[in-house]
Structure formats: C-alpha cells, structure tokens
Amino acid sequence: MNLDDLEADASEVRAAGETCEHCVRVCMAAGCQSSGAGKVLERLNEQFSGRDDVRVKSVGCMGLCSGGPLVELRSKGQPAPRLYQKVSAEDVPELAASLGGAPVQRLACSTEMPFFSRQQKIVLENSGVIDPEEIDDYIAADGYRALVTALTEMNQAEVLREIDISGLRGRGGGGYPTGLKWSTVAKMPADQKYVICNADEGDPGAFMDRAVLESDPHRVLEGMAIAAYAVGANKGYVYIRAEYPLAIDRLKTAIRQATRKKLLGSGICETQFSFDVELRLGAGAFVCGEETALMSSVEGERGQPRPRPPYPAESGLWGYPTLINNVETFANVAPIIRRGGEWFAGIGTERSKGTKVFALAGRIQNTGLIEVPMGIKLRDIIETIGGGVPEGRTFKAVQTGGPSGGCLPEQNLDLPVDYDTLRQAGSIMGSGGMIVMDDTSCMVDVARYFMDFCMTESCGKCVPCRVGTYQMHGLLDKIAKGQGTPADLALLEELCEVVQMTSLCGLGQTSPNPVLSTLRYFRHEYENKLQTGQPAADGTEGGKMTDDRK
Amino acid sequence: MSVKRNKPEAPTADNRWKMVDVTMRRNGYSGHALIETLHTVQEVFGYIDDPSMRYVAEALNLPLSKVYGVATFYHLFTLKPKGKHTCVICTGTACYIKGAGELVEGVQQRYHVRPGQTTPDGQLSVVSARCLGACGLAPAAVLDGQVLANQTADGLLGKIEKVLQHES
C-alpha cells in the first residue's frame, strides 16, 4: 500500500457514492440510538430497499443530541443537505416522499443556526458523515493518508517536528505539550516501547471520547500508528471503559479492518514498521484515567497510581518507555500530518492551539457535542451555540473539568476558553465536559456531589486523599444540611489546602477544586447555609454561630 | 515454584467455563490477563463467586488475595448474583443537575432497594452508574440494556413495573 494505492481505493469509493441520487444519513451514535434511531434506520432501509438511486447510511454523532434521532438527506442538485430532527419511524414515508421536492418543514432543523455555523471541525470532521464501520468510507475521506505519508515520505524526526510546530497540547485535561511528550519517548534508548490511548473517560458529564470512538474510530487508530512510528513503538493499547459497549464494538471492527488492509499489523505499507493494537477494558474506576494507575490496570493489577518521576515516558508499562495520550489528542494527529503543523498552529490562541471538543449538557437548550476553536468566549458557547438556559430560568454557573474542575459564574463568561485562562479563573479545561447550571442548583450541593464522587473513587493508597475526601465530604454534608458552623467552614478550607498539597496523584490533588471554586464565587451560599440553617433532624439547633473547636 | 503446573479442574462441569478458559489461553495464562478473565467470568456467569476466584487464581498462578483484591477494587465487578432485571440509573453530573436524585428516590420508595442492592425476590437489581455518557439525554437510565432518555421518576417506575409484570 502506497499513496497511489490509497488514492485509487479512495476514488473508487467516491465514484460508487456518486452514482446515488440521494444519500440518507442516520445518526447511530449512542445518544440518538437511545432516542430510537435504530427503528428509524430499519424503516428507512425497508422503505428504500430495491431503489438504486438512494443510499441509506448509518453514521456517527451529528452533535445535536437534544434533537435526536437526527436524519440528514443529501440530494444531487440541491445546494445544501437537509437535516431533520426528532424523527420517528412513522415519519419515514413522508421524508421519502419529499426526496427531490420540498422539505418537510415540521421536522426541519436549520443547519444555519449558530449551533452548527459557529463550530469549526477538525476532530469531528468525519463525525456524522462517514459510516464508522466501513474503513472504505474513512479512506474516501482522506483517511490513512497521513499514516502512509508519514511512513513513506517522512522520517521520524520530521513527524516529531510537525507535531511540535502544531503546538498541540494534551486534550485529556493536563494540557502537556504533545510534541515534547513524543520527543521524550522517542529519545529513550529501549528496544521495546508502547503507545497507550487513554479512553477511560470517567468524568461524569463528558462524552467526547465516546463520540469520537463511535463516530470515527479509524482516526484514533491512525493517530496512534503515527505516534508509534514517531517514537519507535510497535505495540499499542486502547484502554477503554467497559461502560461504552458500542465504542468497543466499533473499535474492534476498525482494528480488524485496518489489519486486513495492512494499515495495522506487521510490515505496514511494505516498510519495516509494525504496529499492533489491543483493547483493554476498564472495570469502572475513575482513578484509572490517571496515567500510572491506568498502566497498573493494563498490567492486570489494582488501578493504583504510583509516584512520578519516573514518568511513563521513561519507565511505563512493564518498565518500558510508554507514550500515553488521550483519544482526542490522537484524533488531532492525522489532520496535522496531512495539512501541516503550521496550519494547525494558525487556529486558536497564542498558547492553546487548534480546536476543542466539548460535551454540552445540563440546563441548556441545545445539548450535544460541539467543536470550537480555542479562545472562543464561554458566553458564545453557552448563549449562542448552546442557545442559553431554557424555561425563563437564569444562568448561574458553568462547570468545566468534572470532579477536578470548577464552577464559573456569570461574570467569567467573557473569558476566552484556553488552558491557562481557565486555570487562572479557578477551573480547568479538563477533558471537555461542560455542564450548565441554572438558579435551581445549590452550589453547596454541587460541591458535595463532586466530593462524594472523589471520596468513592479514591483508590485508598495515600492518606490525604483517602481520609481527606471523607472528612471534606462530611463537612460539606453538614453545611448543606444547615448544621454547619463557621468553624466547619474554616476547617473545610484548611483541609482543601492539605489535600491539594499532599495527595499522591491528580485525583486527590484536584479533588478540592470544586469546593475552592464554589467558595471563591458563591461563598454567600455557604454562609447563608450557616446562618439560616434549619434545625437538624435530631432536634439540635443547626447553624448555630459557635466555634466548637475553641 | 517453577514446576510445570497442570491446568486446574474447572469448579463445575458447566460448559461456560470453556469461555473463561479461552480468554486465559488467548492471553497465554499470564497474570496480566486477570482483569480480562474476570470480565469474562462476570459476562458468562453474571457475577464472580468464591469458587471462580479460586479457579482463576490457580489457573493464572496468582495468589487468591490478589484476585480478590482486583475483583473488589473495580466497581464493575460484582461478587453477588444480580437480579433477573437490572435498572442502571445514571448519577453523572448532567443527570444529577437534571434530577437523577428523584429517580433514585422514586425507585427506593417503591421497591425498597438502594443502588447496589437487589430486591429480596431476586427480580430487580438497582445500580447507579457514574456516567453513561448520555449527558445530552439527562436524566438517563438503562433498563435491561435499553437506554431510556429524559426520564421522570413516574415514567421510569412505570417502565420497571412493565418489565417485572411481563416476567411473572
């Protein structure tokens, strides 16, 4: 397989697509499937069976989950595709009759609304367009071109340089420069190296990685293979949550297809380069998103982190140099190689390049998956793209970064979204969950919710996290119930600092973030709970202004 | 200890043990395959009991304490049999903000089981999930493998009732 072969394959598939007068795309990502897209697809297939001029395709996530099931009709001679939302099986005959004629207004969903027009797609460029279970579809969309180019026309240093120029930073939340990470692994003298894709998307409220894996699994495999070539690895693992059965199935299919086409496996593109990918299923432990814990889990151990250094780049899986990146990071690699690092670096802000995928959820009109350039204002995401808070309620806070992140209030909505600004504001970019809260949410409750999460998910290895999160949760619970005292609040703040400073891994170190950020912006809600506390259930007077530590 | 070991006898003559063996064989009976093997045990038997853990420990040449440690570390592994029907309620952030608590409460009031428990008649297990990744459809629940979007307590209870009645 060389570039010409690949191009021949691609034009063959494109030509086959050309023969169809109409193309019907049905979103079959998990979101739309749970709204009944399966039945719609079945009905569409029945409706059009025997018609050569219509092609029905199941595709990945189209983004607007709140409008699911989504169906897109694309006809020759029509300037723009037609998107329909909340389609049911009963609507299929009506849609079929509309082919080539006037659109069905009742179900129409404008693709010109800001939700679609304000997005810029790199990671999600094929999402909702190609069939994730057909490798040919991916190849027709320029898939595997970057891998073949890298293997046949670039040496390792050139690949590393492009990634470095692009300014890509880790999309898992930390924001570590990807080029630097790759170079570190590449420099290690070792005869065995590994590449791991972290698909243990444990943040509650985040579903970007799932959507990417369900909609465009080959893109992630291609990114991993390019990374393996650049750092000199020949074995890769995708560590994926067992809670994502659809993503697991599609990845397995993708690996099988790519291996058959000799784009994975031994001697890729008739070169010396070999790369095998295996799946490893997580078993429900949030801490396994931490890289050293993840590696323990791949090794079949309890998922407990260990101190760094040594970093995985030096001594990772079974002691060998290991490159760990997140799904979205790998998904950015192929476009960078295809279009050049300079092109990528032209998008975004000074220190945060490219785009970011966010999962928009909570009290917001348009829930779903969006991809926007770095540097966009939070207000644009929430009010313009997301359509704002529904039902005449008012916006209160937006939560980014999951249990390691924080809640930002109205006054911060004009901040640009990039790694450094969000950190300064007391939250983090995180992996991309963005949850909007309105005035019905109590911020003390929200802080308690996240602390409950961290307490349960603490692996128990280090004392500050194991005991600290438990104590902080107890204090938050007391305050939320109106039984807290000012002394409790002071103790809570002190504990936040201790846990932050002394925990072993990221889970513990960041667990106080939701408390600290809500205290910073919504301190009055904590204080109100202290002063106007309801009497406790055991008859004692809650919220008494006493300091019982004295 | 480096004496060549014989493959241990499966705890029962149940054919499903063959699937467990397949997983272990595919991974060369290496200790690294422990999590994969436990996944298979749970997949075919529904849960991981004592005899299974002993068998896996012996077959992979691992101490039983380690197998028990791993099986209890991960939330997804369960050491008790599940009910005939399972209702998973998502308690991720988006679902929490949109009222997952009411779903949990509703189910608890009707069936007197909290997440992680099974009704005494073994008909219904209630589980809470950290996040199903269906945040766009919050609050979400999964009843016997089927994802239910935008649930209310009453709506969910109705669906559970239907599934339970269908059986009896």
Side-chain angles (χ1 to χ4, degrees):
Chain A
M1 178 78 77
N2 57 32
L3 270 182
D4 292 335
D5 299 340
L6 197 70
E7 188 49 45
D9 269 16
S11 37
E12 202 175 302
V13 182
R14 283 190 210 117
E18 292 286 303
T19 61
C20 283
E21 195 70 25
H22 309 283
C23 183
V24 182
R25 296 192 166 108
V26 186
C27 174
M28 287 292 280
C32 282
Q33 276 203 16
S34 26
S35 321
K39 282 191 189 131
V40 176
L41 179 68
E42 207 174 294
R43 195 65 193 275
L44 280 165
N45 278 326
E46 275 171 37
Q47 182 84 29
F48 293 119
S49 71
R51 273 184 67 172
D52 293 338
D53 60 331
V54 183
R55 189 162 168 231
V56 180
K57 246 166 107 171
S58 71
V59 297
C61 187
M62 294 189 182
L64 188 61
C65 299
S66 50
L70 293 162
V71 175
E72 190 194 66
L73 304 184
R74 205 178 274 257
S75 302
K76 257 191 204 165
Q78 276 173 4
R82 291 168 179 171
L83 184 63
Y84 294 108
Q85 60 179 347
K86 302 197 173 158
V87 178
S88 68
E90 288 75 49
D91 298 324
V92 168
E94 198 180 344
L95 289 182
S98 81
L99 279 182
V104 182
Q105 290 301 344
R106 185 169 64 83
L107 301 167
C109 174
S110 166
T111 47
E112 273 159 30
M113 63 192 236
F115 182 85
F116 296 103
S117 65
R118 289 294 301 272
Q119 294 194 45
Q120 180 174 6
K121 297 194 171 182
I122 296 175
V123 171
L124 299 177
E125 61 183 352
N126 291 335
S127 183
V129 180
I130 65 165
D131 185 337
E133 295 183 354
E134 289 292 340
I135 189 170
D136 285 342
D137 246 27
Y138 180 65
I139 291 176
D142 278 341
Y144 286 110
R145 220 188 144 84
L147 175 63
V148 177
T149 311
L151 289 182
T152 56
E153 292 174 7
M154 296 166 87
N155 61 31
Q156 289 158 313
E158 283 167 332
V159 175
L160 290 173
R161 193 159 60 235
E162 285 305 319
I163 299 296
D164 204 35
I165 291 172
S166 75
L168 178 66
R169 292 171 69 174
R171 295 292 194 248
Y176 191 79
T178 307
L180 195 56
K181 201 185 238 183
W182 287 26
S183 303
T184 315
V185 182
K187 270 184 219 135
M188 292 301 294
D191 32 352
Q192 177 69 60
K193 294 179 191 176
Y194 294 101
V195 169
I196 298 180
C197 174
N198 183 350
D200 190 48
E201 185 174 49
D203 275 20
F207 53 94
M208 303 79 45
D209 295 349
R210 192 204 63 190
V212 171
L213 292 168
E214 283 177 2
S215 311
D216 201 2
H218 284 288
R219 162 180 301 263
V220 180
L221 296 177
E222 187 180 3
M224 287 178 73
I226 295 171
Y229 172 68
V231 304
N234 61 15
K235 175 96 201 163
Y237 291 96
V238 181
Y239 187 84
I240 182 167
R241 295 180 79 195
E243 289 92 330
Y244 288 173
L246 188 61
I248 294 168
D249 276 356
R250 290 194 173 158
L251 258 178
K252 279 186 183 161
T253 309
I255 293 174
R256 206 172 44 238
Q257 291 174 341
T259 310
R260 198 173 301 148
K261 284 235 182 231
K262 295 206 175 299
L263 291 162
L264 285 181
S266 54
I268 302 173
C269 299
E270 284 120 36
T271 63
Q272 295 290 310
F273 174 63
S274 299
F275 185 56
D276 284 303
V277 180
E278 251 184 71
L279 293 191
R280 278 285 181 272
L281 302 194
F286 177 66
V287 68
C288 288
E290 201 277 342
E291 51 187 20
T292 58
L294 186 151
M295 290 187 306
S296 303
S297 188
V298 172
E299 292 171 7
E301 310 271 335
R302 296 165 62 119
Q304 289 184 316
R306 56 161 180 74
R308 297 176 301 178
Y311 287 91
E314 294 152 0
S315 168
L317 203 57
W318 294 299
Y320 294 107
T322 304
L323 175 75
I324 301 190
N325 275 135
N326 162 271
V327 171
E328 199 184 328
T329 315
F330 281 126
N332 271 306
V333 170
I336 291 175
I337 298 299
R338 221 165 49 219
R339 306 173 72 168
E342 294 283 354
W343 160 78
F344 191 84
I347 305 165
T349 65
E350 181 62 36
R351 300 200 49 217
S352 303
K353 302 295 187 193
T355 58
K356 179 78 192 83
V357 181
F358 286 103
L360 211 50
R363 301 280 184 189
I364 190 158
Q365 204 86 36
N366 304 326
T367 57
L369 202 68
I370 56 162
E371 182 172 359
V372 289
M374 294 275 191
I376 191 174
K377 283 180 186 164
L378 276 170
R379 191 182 296 283
D380 284 340
I381 296 182
I382 291 160
E383 291 178 4
T384 315
I385 296 176
V389 175
E391 297 157 29
R393 290 266 164 208
T394 50
F395 172 87
K396 187 179 215 172
V398 56
Q399 212 279 341
T400 64
S404 313
C407 299
L408 299 175
E410 168 84 33
Q411 77 219 51
N412 281 351
L413 283 189
D414 289 311
L415 290 179
V417 173
D418 66 51
Y419 290 100
D420 313 294
T421 315
L422 288 181
R423 182 163 294 146
Q424 275 159 24
S427 186
I428 58 165
M429 174 85 86
S431 54
M434 196 173 268
I435 289 152
V436 177
M437 301 170 197
D438 64 12
D439 52 349
T440 55
S441 295
C442 164
M443 300 319 277
V444 185
D445 278 350
V446 170
R448 179 179 57 174
Y449 166 81
F450 282 116
M451 196 51 75
D452 176 58
F453 182 91
C454 291
M455 173 180 80
T456 323
E457 293 298 331
S458 173
C459 78
K461 181 167 179 170
C462 76
V463 180
C465 176
R466 183 179 68 224
V467 183
T469 52
Y470 180 80
Q471 294 300 338
M472 286 193 284
H473 180 263
L475 289 168
L476 282 164
D477 191 50
K478 204 171 158 194
I479 295 171
K481 285 181 176 152
Q483 298 162 3
T485 64
D488 290 328
L489 193 55
L491 183 60
L492 178 65
E493 291 191 85
E494 197 184 315
L495 262 175
C496 281
E497 201 188 320
V498 172
V499 174
Q500 200 170 36
M501 304 296 284
T502 57
S503 291
L504 172 63
C505 82
L507 190 152
Q509 288 159 12
T510 59
S511 64
N513 283 2
V515 183
L516 290 170
S517 74
T518 46
L519 269 172
R520 178 163 162 189
Y521 297 114
F522 302 95
R523 196 180 183 92
H524 56 276
E525 292 197 18
Y526 284 83
E527 282 167 352
N528 286 347
K529 290 262 179 189
L530 297 182
Q531 285 149 10
T532 61
Q534 298 294 312
D538 58 4
T540 57
E541 203 178 314
K544 223 168 31 182
M545 300 283 285
T546 54
D547 188 342
D548 48 23
R549 268 198 309 165
K550 276 177 193 156
Chain B
M1 280 298 283
S2 63
V3 206
K4 192 163 180 294
R5 293 173 309 119
N6 289 319
K7 194 176 143 307
E9 281 287 317
T12 56
D14 197 321
N15 257 340
R16 287 177 288 182
W17 285 111
K18 287 195 176 134
M19 295 169 76
V20 178
D21 290 342
V22 167
T23 302
M24 293 193 287
R25 198 178 320 126
R26 207 177 47 223
N27 288 287
Y29 288 93
S30 136
H32 305 139
L34 176 56
I35 294 177
E36 305 291 303
T37 310
L38 291 177
H39 268 302
T40 310
V41 172
Q42 179 150 320
E43 204 178 298
V44 297
F45 294 102
Y47 69 109
I48 304 166
D49 61 4
D50 268 10
S52 321
M53 280 190 273
R54 282 175 204 282
Y55 175 62
V56 170
E58 213 176 318
L60 298 180
N61 201 17
L62 294 170
L64 181 58
S65 61
K66 180 163 174 193
V67 177
Y68 181 78
V70 168
T72 50
F73 181 83
Y74 294 97
H75 304 305
L76 222 66
F77 295 137
T78 161
L79 308 192
K80 287 192 202 121
K82 279 223 181 90
K84 213 164 184 178
H85 302 282
T86 308
C87 177
V88 185
I89 300 173
C90 180
T91 54
T93 319
C95 292
Y96 166 76
I97 294 291
K98 288 191 134 179
E102 285 153 36
L103 302 185
V104 174
E105 204 128 294
V107 170
Q108 190 177 344
Q109 273 179 9
R110 173 80 66 92
Y111 300 103
H112 310 288
V113 276
R114 275 184 290 121
Q117 296 180 333
T118 303
T119 51
D121 60 0
Q123 285 291 313
L124 179 71
S125 287
V126 179
V127 188
S128 71
R130 273 314 181 190
C131 184
L132 298 170
C135 311
L137 310 163
V142 183
L143 186 55
D144 288 345
Q146 201 197 347
V147 183
L148 308 169
N150 302 313
Q151 288 304 296
T152 59
D154 287 343
L156 180 62
L157 286 173
K159 289 188 187 92
I160 295 176
E161 199 58 28
K162 223 171 171 183
V163 171
L164 291 180
Q165 300 227 316
H166 206 69
E167 273 310 304
S168 53

